[in-house]
Amino acid sequence: MRTEAFDEMASGRWDLEDAVWQETDLLLWKPPAAWFSINAFFVPDGDGRRLRNWYVNFEHPTRRTTAGFDTFDLTVDLLIEPDLTRWQWKDEDEYAHVRRLGIVSDNEHQAVDAARAQVLAMLAERSGVFANAERWALWRWEPAWPAPCLPGLAAAAGRVAPEGG
């Protein structure tokens, strides 16, 4: 099913849909010019929450839009254990497929390769967000905080294309 979605994406246009994030609390670290975000996923654990895993999503750098923020998922990801001792690549087959379809250009592929090396170096050196991984693992969403809210889809014009697409 995901492969079919990528085939449709190869046209360069798709529809946005409203959705609500569910199942996990998410703490996201996204340097504006980076070709990745680092996500910490928290799940219920007894009466509290625990860090399930770190998840590095390779994506376009974030851009501000009238609807909020925009980026573009480049399909390949890195899953990291909560204690940072083990990691594994995810969706390499999908990444190869979107490369074949031309969804990820040669220039974007070079940026992803550089971002992969950057993230692996941060992980090995325990730098960036990983320098304080134990402290971040203790983070909890405060129920009194207001839920973030973006403008409706009408503000996003309902249809978007990747930059240059």
Side-chain angles (χ1 to χ4, degrees):
M1 178 173 250
R2 286 178 56 116
T3 301
E4 291 172 15
F6 296 134
D7 294 342
E8 289 178 25
M9 284 175 58
S11 71
R13 300 196 63 79
W14 52 90
D15 294 317
L16 293 176
E17 294 184 20
D18 278 321
V20 176
W21 188 265
Q22 298 180 29
E23 299 177 21
T24 62
D25 289 342
L26 168 66
L27 181 61
L28 184 141
W29 182 73
K30 174 69 172 163
W35 282 77
F36 62 88
S37 63
I38 299 176
N39 306 266
F41 288 109
F42 296 85
V43 294
D45 186 29
D47 292 331
R49 310 289 278 173
R50 68 172 173 79
L51 177 64
R52 182 186 72 193
N53 63 282
W54 297 94
Y55 188 98
V56 181
N57 191 59
F58 293 87
E59 58 196 45
H60 279 184
T62 301
R63 294 182 296 133
R64 278 196 181 273
T65 69
T66 57
F69 299 94
D70 192 20
T71 188
F72 184 76
D73 189 330
L74 298 168
T75 70
V76 71
D77 307 294
L78 183 65
L79 295 172
I80 306 169
E81 292 292 322
D83 64 1
L84 308 179
T85 58
R86 290 188 315 269
W87 54 267
Q88 67 182 21
W89 293 106
K90 180 178 179 284
D91 301 328
E92 291 274 23
D93 56 335
E94 291 179 2
Y95 185 69
H97 185 67
V98 298
R99 289 277 294 133
R100 281 190 300 274
L101 291 172
I103 294 171
V104 175
S105 70
D106 290 342
N107 287 341
E108 290 166 320
H109 176 63
Q110 290 172 0
V112 169
D113 276 352
R116 286 185 194 224
Q118 181 182 0
V119 169
L120 291 176
M122 289 169 51
L123 189 55
E125 298 163 1
R126 300 299 193 260
S127 62
V129 72
F130 301 124
N132 297 302
E134 288 181 19
R135 192 177 85 205
W136 286 120
L138 300 175
W139 176 87
R140 298 297 179 265
W141 174 262
E142 179 58 50
W145 293 339
C149 184
L150 293 174
L153 288 178
R159 296 184 67 79
V160 297
E163 189 169 314

